[in-house]
Amino acid sequence: MLYFKEEIYVIDVSQSVEHEHPMALDFLRRDCVNINDYFSKQNVVTLSTEHAYDFITDYKLKADDEDTVLQKLLEDSALQQQNMTPEESRRLEIDDKVFRSIYIPRSLHEIE
């Protein structure tokens, strides 16, 4: 997905799956990683993988509020990145790597 001039563009639809697919959340997380990696290399402010994932999967978020919430998240992320110490930056990288590898249960039945 791309967000440009207040519009969302869905790309790579050929690899899309229904949300019931057993790997759907893992595929979504992988897509968040790939998109963040690409735009970070272009020096574009991005959300952490976890924050992007949480934004996309927030079922309580109303469509009318999406732009405002996303803009606030991106502003907060830019401010955080500007004021971050090297140690904080390393900690954020570690947190992101952990989120990239943790198991994401699809339901409470999958938690023992």
Side-chain angles (χ1 to χ4, degrees):
M1 293 187 326
L2 297 176
Y3 183 77
F4 180 68
K5 294 186 178 182
E6 298 184 13
E7 291 290 327
I8 295 176
Y9 297 87
V10 178
I11 59 171
D12 210 6
V13 176
S14 63
Q15 296 181 15
S16 67
V17 296
E18 295 293 328
H19 68 274
E20 295 92 4
H21 188 283
M23 296 290 294
L25 297 176
D26 294 305
F27 293 155
L28 174 61
R29 177 175 49 193
R30 184 196 61 201
D31 289 345
C32 290
V33 167
N34 291 338
I35 290 168
N36 278 357
D37 286 349
Y38 174 81
F39 284 103
S40 292
K41 289 175 185 174
Q42 308 303 314
N43 294 319
V44 174
V45 173
T46 62
L47 302 176
S48 69
T49 303
E50 185 173 5
H51 285 130
Y53 180 92
D54 289 345
F55 173 77
I56 293 166
T57 59
D58 186 353
Y59 66 91
K60 295 178 186 176
L61 183 61
K62 297 180 176 129
D64 292 344
D65 298 332
E66 287 176 350
D67 289 343
T68 305
V69 170
L70 182 57
Q71 188 62 38
K72 174 77 168 113
L73 288 170
L74 288 169
E75 288 170 3
D76 290 349
S77 183
L79 187 60
Q80 179 187 27
Q81 290 173 25
Q82 289 173 352
N83 298 321
M84 199 176 296
T85 66
E87 184 178 315
E88 291 169 329
S89 180
R90 282 191 299 276
R91 181 68 191 156
L92 191 62
E93 285 180 38
I94 291 169
D95 289 347
D96 201 55
K97 286 180 181 178
V98 169
F99 181 74
R100 290 175 181 207
S101 64
I102 62 170
Y103 173 70
I104 301 175
R106 294 195 39 83
S107 71
L108 291 177
H109 299 291
E110 296 180 18
I111 301 174
E112 295 182 16

